[in-house]
Amino acid sequence: MPISQQNATVVEEEISVHPPKRLLFGPGPTQVHPRVYQAMAQPVVGHLDPYFFAISNDNQRMLRNVFGTENEWTFVVSATGSGGMEAAISNFVEPGMKVGVFANGFFCDRLTEMAKRNGAEIVRFEKPWGGAFGDTEAAAFIHREKPRVVMYVTAETSTGVFQRGEAICQAAHEVGALVIADCVTSLGAMPVNVDKTGIDVAYSCTQKGLSCPPGLSPITVSPRAAEWLQSRESTNRSWYFDIKLISDYLFVSHRYHHTASATLFYALHEGLSLIEEEGLVQRCERHRQAHHEFVKGIEAMGLTMLVPAEYRIWNLNTPQVPEGVDDAKVRATLLKEHGIEIAGGFGPLAGKVFRIGLMGPLATPDHVQDFLSKFGDALNAAGFKG
């Protein structure tokens, strides 16, 4: 039988995987648009195929818009967001280098650990989980410590805190430092504005604000950071995450570096196309409005948010667990009875907050109201007397 007929036969046969249908209201992965699934079902091409590079080039163009940058070095790393974090650190942190970290949550601690493993001298400005850094104190820390690299998380997934970066970037540049920003949760749902903010290196993931499956990490590198990297004398300890090698493969020589997944590149292309069609400003505004509707409903139930209003992430909400309520029971009820996934807190916030994502297809008034109704029922079933 010809291969084309064999493929047609396979499509018609019953597949062997039957995952349950879920509404992904957690911090990630998030709900995937049906068009993204359709894109992933298209035929696979090789990682050196001209069509693959055409898709990759278009992804780069659309990512520049979402990142808010004109950086030439804007592309994806074949890894999850943690791989993007490792790429940023392994390329721009050298042994013995002084690195300043704004630490107020789990992923700031992960930044710290990765920088330590690259031999950095770490100085940390610490806040309790749920806290944010003011402009004056952030600048004072940088001017006092004078690090070579400054790192912060724009949207801390473990706490629901959004951190503004303008003052951090300005102070860092005044002392000659590069700025690495974690945009894992913010990209695609909140304005990132890399160029306007002054971020030198930003990385993200595909499974949160971009509403695609996990597996790719968008990254962008400013001309200032690219120049620094080109003049770096020590060898990057990571071969796989060497940005110079990856960028050469993706949009210069197209020489083999690794076997990139065409399927995931298709998915990202469709996800970015959806953002382009909606308009980035409109998409961010939709997430902002969904967030405000959610908070209004939560407060009407008698719950309180962990984070003050001016520091809240729009697409990742952290209402506090009411006294006497077992958050695990609430989450189990939602999953069992409604197929809804949310997450609890961890670390210092274990058992103290819910982590509820409103991202992509689920950031609509109807989905917010439907979720609040079922969430309220699950709270009541767990003994909440709001």
Side-chain angles (χ1 to χ4, degrees), residues 292-353:
H292 285 300
E293 283 296 310
F294 175 85
V295 172
K296 185 167 65 175
I298 285 295
E299 291 177 343
M301 292 181 191
L303 275 66
T304 57
M305 300 290 289
L306 173 71
V307 181
E310 64 269 28
Y311 296 117
R312 290 173 189 160
I313 304 172
W314 298 343
N315 53 315
L316 195 282
N317 301 273
T318 48
Q320 297 186 70
V321 178
E323 186 176 352
V325 170
D326 181 350
D327 74 294
K329 184 175 181 181
V330 175
R331 291 186 282 114
T333 298
L334 285 172
L335 190 65
K336 181 179 180 181
E337 296 187 5
H338 306 292
I340 291 175
E341 176 185 293
I342 65 172
F346 59 99
L349 296 179
K352 297 180 180 179
V353 298

Side-chain angles (χ1 to χ4, degrees), residues 13-20:
E13 291 177 354
E14 181 68 21
I15 61 174
S16 62
V17 292
H18 303 281

